[in-house]
Amino acid sequence: MNIDYVDITGVYSLVEELYRKTTLETITYRFLHPVSDVTHIYKYLWSRGCRSFLIYYNNKPIGIIDITPCGNGAEVAILIIDSYQGKGLGKYVVHDFAQRLKKMGFTYAFAYVAPENYKALAIARKIGAEVSCRDVCFIRYWLSDKDREMCR
C-alpha cells in the first residue's frame, strides 16, 4: 500500500481540513464524545507533548494519528475519514505505524475506544492486542513479544 505519514503537530489548518471530511459519529469515536471545535482539543494535546501525523494514501490525506508519550508506552489514536473506512486502511496503518513506534523507543501502545466502535475493536483483536471493556475499552498492544514477557 502506498501509505505515508507527515508530522503536522501545530498546524491547525490541516487538522481542521481533515476533520471537515468526517462525520460526527467518527469524531465521537475519536474523542469518546461529540466535539465541535477540534482545534481547542489539539491545542491542549500538543501542549502536553502529543504529536500528530497526517496519513496519506496515494498522496491524499485520509486520516490522522495522534501519539502521546506516557513512560515506555504511547497513547495512540487513529482516525480514518469516512470515505476511506472499510477498505483495510485502518488495519494496515495499525501494523505499519506500530513498527515506527517501536523505532521511536516505545515498548507498547495503548488506546481508549468506545465499546460500540466495533471496527477498531476488531482490528485490535486481530493484531493480538489486550482488550478490556467496561464503560470504555482499554487496548494495549505490545510492540514486541520480548517486551510483553518482561512485563509479566
Side-chain angles (χ1 to χ4, degrees), residues 20 45-46 56 64 70 133:
R20 276 196 296 269
L45 289 173
W46 292 337
Y56 284 90
I64 192 166
C70 184
C133 295

Side-chain angles (χ1 to χ4, degrees), residues 19 25-32 42 45 66 77-79:
Y19 278 94
E25 179 182 41
T26 298
I27 292 171
T28 300
Y29 282 156
R30 162 57 187 98
F31 297 109
L32 300 176
Y42 277 90
L45 289 173
D66 300 314
I78 300 173
L79 177 138

Side-chain angles (χ1 to χ4, degrees), residues 8 11-20 38 42 46 64:
I8 61 163
V11 185
Y12 294 102
S13 60
L14 292 175
V15 170
E16 288 174 322
E17 186 179 330
L18 180 80
Y19 278 94
R20 276 196 296 269
V38 294
Y42 277 90
W46 292 337
I64 192 166

Side-chain angles (χ1 to χ4, degrees), residues 1-2 6 21 26 36 43 57 64-65 74 84 88 102 110 119 131 134 140 147 152:
M1 265 194 206
N2 189 9
V6 176
K21 296 177 183 177
T26 298
S36 61
K43 182 177 181 179
Y57 175 62
I64 192 166
I65 299 175
Y84 285 89
K102 189 174 179 180
F110 67 95
K119 292 176 187 177
V131 178
R134 288 199 77 156
R140 180 167 51 188
D147 292 327
R152 287 187 186 245

Side-chain angles (χ1 to χ4, degrees), residues 25-81:
E25 179 182 41
T26 298
I27 292 171
T28 300
Y29 282 156
R30 162 57 187 98
F31 297 109
L32 300 176
H33 59 83
V35 173
S36 61
D37 181 9
V38 294
T39 58
H40 180 72
I41 291 175
Y42 277 90
K43 182 177 181 179
Y44 175 79
L45 289 173
W46 292 337
S47 73
R48 299 293 189 258
C50 176
R51 291 174 60 197
S52 298
F53 298 84
L54 209 54
I55 305 166
Y56 284 90
Y57 175 62
N58 293 333
N59 297 318
K60 294 180 183 175
I62 62 144
I64 192 166
I65 299 175
D66 300 314
I67 300 167
T68 306
C70 184
N72 292 334
E75 180 178 0
V76 178
I78 300 173
L79 177 138
I80 303 293
I81 61 175

Side-chain angles (χ1 to χ4, degrees), residues 68-119:
T68 306
C70 184
N72 292 334
E75 180 178 0
V76 178
I78 300 173
L79 177 138
I80 303 293
I81 61 175
D82 299 75
S83 59
Y84 285 89
Q85 291 179 11
K87 301 177 187 313
L89 295 167
K91 183 178 176 184
Y92 181 85
V93 167
V94 166
H95 278 288
D96 188 48
F97 211 82
Q99 297 311 308
R100 292 169 187 257
L101 290 171
K102 189 174 179 180
K103 288 178 184 174
M104 291 178 191
F106 297 109
T107 57
Y108 64 95
F110 67 95
Y112 297 97
V113 175
E116 56 274 0
N117 189 344
Y118 301 113
K119 292 176 187 177

